[in-house]
Amino acid sequence: MSFLGDKAEGPPITNVMFLKTHKTASSTVLNILFRFAETHNLSVALPVGSQFHLGYPWLFLARYVEGVEPSGPKRHFNIMCNHLRFNLPEVQKVMPKDTFYFTILRNPVFQLESSFVYYKHHAPAFRGVASLEAFLASPWTYYNQSLGLSNVYARNNMWFDLGFDNNAPAEEGYVRASLAAMEQRFQLVIIAEHFDESMVLLRRLLRWRLDDVVSFSLNFRSQRSVTSLTPEGRERAQRWCALDWRLYQHFNRTFWAKVHAELGPQRLRAEVELLQVRRHELEALCLQDGGPKNQLQITDRILRPYQSGKADILGYNLRPGLDNQTLQMCRRMVMPELQYVAHLYTLQFPENPPKKIPFLE
């Protein structure tokens, strides 16, 4: 392997906080982090008791983490990546001082379209409207600001996840101050539309091996449940989610500046190609028929992904006849989010009752 290959300068970074934003390919990143934690015997800040997120949509508090005592944390964790609404002072109670912070953003037009389908029955703003196009033509007809937390998926959801007010006016001074606060805290903001380039840069900054960042897409929809907005609809989405749009534009620029500073175009192309070749190898090794399936086609019920709203979430079947070591590696790569949270919880807290996954009961 030329260029970076599998060599890294110095030991890997093992204290990592990933702010998992909604509908941004963040479940795939979470799987990468869970696999790294499991294979390196690292501790994960997991949701307390029967929960699967860290208090979302309320601002994060340290007590939402299993193993944190009422008097305060007795220990720090290596990895934190479950859904939470960012609240830095409380996160710092749980994570070590040298933690690497990163998050992921997606073009808010596509993020909102995904949210509309996925949270169709959850967000009051989306329930009574036939299409996202109709919602965007007259959003205040459907969006009731006073409903607060139940409607966070319907407007500036990424801005909200970062701990900011998703209903704030997009005034220049406020936006600039918020972006500056983010830049100060997050060492990296990756971009969903450039996922492979993002993984190459993340891998370089964390000094991880190639296989640590190779992934299969998780919690993603079949094309039949994806809708395209008209040009007018896209413009309306940008205006409706003006804070998310500013967020995305800014960090899309800083992402590419960082990529070119760290790697340069030639090296980036070579590293992306290495990543894609390795993904294709693992698809051929692990996956039956080499690709995703709808939930009815998935034979192992433990590998069936959670279905939400009007989304048709895809998953994977593993090839039969894999040796035990390969099977373990492949299962980790395709394990849906809720099942992986429950699996790690049992490993870390064997004395506690296991987490129940309602849709598998």
Side-chain angles (χ1 to χ4, degrees):
M1 290 185 182
S2 57
F3 297 99
L4 186 59
D6 241 22
K7 297 185 177 69
E9 295 171 14
I13 289 174
T14 54
N15 295 327
V16 178
M17 192 279 166
F18 170 58
L19 180 67
K20 187 179 189 295
T21 49
H22 286 79
K23 314 318 300 168
T24 57
S26 63
S27 292
T28 305
V29 180
L30 174 129
N31 177 270
I32 287 168
L33 294 168
F34 276 176
R35 279 165 29 215
F36 187 84
E38 188 175 4
T39 54
H40 292 79
N41 199 27
L42 302 176
S43 59
V44 182
L46 294 168
V48 69
S50 61
Q51 299 299 308
F52 284 89
H53 53 64
L54 293 165
Y56 194 88
W58 292 276
L59 278 169
F60 172 75
L61 298 173
R63 63 181 171 83
Y64 297 151
V65 174
E66 187 68 66
V68 171
E69 304 297 324
S71 58
K74 292 280 191 290
R75 57 182 278 201
H76 281 124
F77 294 86
N78 300 114
I79 305 283
M80 175 183 262
C81 56
N82 286 74
H83 275 308
L84 59 83
R85 188 177 182 212
F86 195 61
N87 183 10
L88 180 60
E90 291 290 312
V91 171
Q92 287 175 324
K93 291 179 182 177
V94 177
M95 298 302 291
K97 282 191 171 62
D98 64 349
T99 295
F100 181 96
Y101 287 77
F102 80 106
T103 188
I104 186 168
L105 301 176
R106 183 183 184 187
N107 184 318
V109 175
F110 305 126
Q111 193 273 345
L112 185 65
E113 185 274 332
S114 182
S115 284
F116 182 83
V117 175
Y118 198 85
Y119 297 110
K120 183 77 175 76
H121 307 313
H122 181 84
F126 292 156
R127 278 183 209 143
V129 60
S131 68
L132 180 57
E133 204 79 55
F135 173 82
L136 289 167
S138 182
W140 289 110
T141 304
Y142 308 100
Y143 184 83
N144 184 343
Q145 198 167 312
S146 67
L147 291 176
L149 297 182
S150 57
N151 259 337
V152 298
Y153 304 110
R155 191 182 195 201
N156 293 312
N157 189 202
M158 295 183 290
W159 193 261
F160 178 87
D161 287 351
L162 287 156
F164 303 124
D165 177 4
N166 62 316
N167 289 309
E171 293 168 352
E172 192 61 27
Y174 168 68
V175 171
R176 283 177 181 267
S178 303
L179 295 176
M182 260 195 78
E183 285 201 320
Q184 196 171 4
R185 170 41 50 203
F186 291 91
Q187 285 101 310
L188 179 63
V189 177
I190 59 175
I191 302 295
E193 284 78 14
H194 307 291
F195 193 84
D196 287 351
E197 293 86 350
S198 293
M199 290 303 102
V200 165
L201 182 56
L202 179 69
R203 179 192 166 209
R204 179 179 176 82
L205 295 177
L206 294 181
R207 302 190 293 267
W208 286 9
R209 298 177 60 230
L210 181 63
D211 275 10
D212 294 330
V213 299
V214 178
S215 62
F216 304 144
S217 293
L218 295 175
N219 199 33
F220 72 110
R221 295 173 289 159
S222 66
Q223 278 305 115
R224 72 176 182 81
S225 62
V226 177
T227 54
S228 296
L229 288 173
T230 62
E232 295 78 21
R234 290 197 290 273
E235 285 180 21
R236 286 168 175 160
Q238 288 173 13
R239 287 198 300 272
W240 175 245
C241 294
L243 294 167
D244 273 1
W245 183 240
R246 286 293 305 276
L247 182 69
Y248 179 77
Q249 285 182 303
H250 177 83
F251 283 104
N252 193 31
R253 284 195 297 272
T254 63
F255 171 76
W256 286 108
K258 193 163 284 203
V259 164
H260 290 303
E262 286 283 342
L263 291 150
Q266 186 182 356
R267 188 163 181 175
L268 175 67
R269 279 194 300 274
E271 292 292 332
V272 167
E273 188 178 345
L274 272 179
L275 181 71
Q276 291 172 345
V277 166
R278 183 60 178 146
R279 180 184 297 124
H280 292 319
E281 288 174 359
L282 289 171
E283 284 170 348
L285 175 68
C286 292
L287 304 182
Q288 194 173 47
D289 306 322
K293 305 286 180 190
N294 70 46
Q295 63 161 339
L296 297 175
Q297 297 171 306
I298 297 170
T299 51
D300 184 346
R301 57 191 291 277
I302 297 298
L303 297 182
R304 285 178 191 159
Y306 174 67
Q307 305 292 316
S308 177
K310 294 197 168 183
D312 175 28
I313 305 295
L314 302 179
Y316 300 95
N317 282 326
L318 295 178
R319 279 183 58 213
L322 298 173
D323 67 77
N324 193 49
Q325 190 176 355
T326 306
L327 177 63
Q328 293 306 316
M329 178 194 70
C330 294
R331 275 182 76 82
R332 287 174 181 146
M333 291 191 73
V334 304
M335 192 177 292
E337 180 176 331
L338 299 184
Q339 288 91 314
Y340 216 148
V341 173
H343 168 66
L344 289 180
Y345 187 84
T346 299
L347 287 181
Q348 277 188 204
F349 304 101
E351 69 282 3
N352 290 2
K355 287 186 189 286
K356 290 182 177 172
I357 303 170
F359 77 97
L360 291 179
E361 292 290 301

